[in-house]
Amino acid sequence: AFSMPIAKVDHIKDAIYYLQGSGIQVVAATEKTDNTLYDVDFNQPTAIVMGREDSGVSPGVLKIVDQQAKLPLKGSIASLNVSVACGAFLYEVVRQRL
């Protein structure tokens, strides 16, 4: 948290529109898609939207993001803790940028 820019906003949709207008792709982490995080090009400026652990990213937000991506999971696991999922997404960003 000390080496990564983090911002708190009042309305997530306003923040998404601002980011998109600034040339930043917005990717939502959701299990409600067929695309995996390996399908996303993270070599461009990217903001990742992580949802609530109980309900995920809201449908309204899913409609306005540039891309949706999920972690590929095997077996009966439906989803991961949001902090674990965030770590996996951020690692994929780093992996692609190395």
Side-chain angles (χ1 to χ4, degrees):
F2 296 115
S3 62
M4 176 182 295
I6 297 174
K8 183 177 187 281
V9 297
D10 292 326
H11 303 286
I12 188 72
K13 287 183 180 180
D14 292 339
I16 290 170
Y17 290 133
Y18 178 81
L19 291 166
Q20 289 170 328
S22 300
I24 298 172
Q25 78 167 336
V26 181
V27 178
T30 178
E31 74 284 354
K32 300 170 185 133
T33 183
D34 291 329
N35 300 324
T36 71
L37 75 160
Y38 306 116
D39 300 323
V40 179
D41 178 9
F42 288 114
N43 286 304
Q44 57 186 310
T46 304
I48 301 171
V49 177
M50 303 299 297
R52 294 176 50 163
E53 288 190 16
D54 58 345
S55 57
V57 178
S58 72
V61 169
L62 289 175
K63 288 180 184 175
I64 64 171
V65 296
D66 299 308
Q67 294 190 65
Q68 299 176 20
K70 69 179 178 182
L71 287 169
L73 299 175
K74 192 169 181 149
S76 62
I77 298 171
S79 65
L80 299 174
N81 172 285
V82 71
S83 65
V84 173
C86 185
F89 266 80
L90 293 175
Y91 181 79
E92 177 59 15
V93 172
V94 170
R95 188 193 69 79
Q96 286 188 23
R97 292 180 180 183
L98 286 177

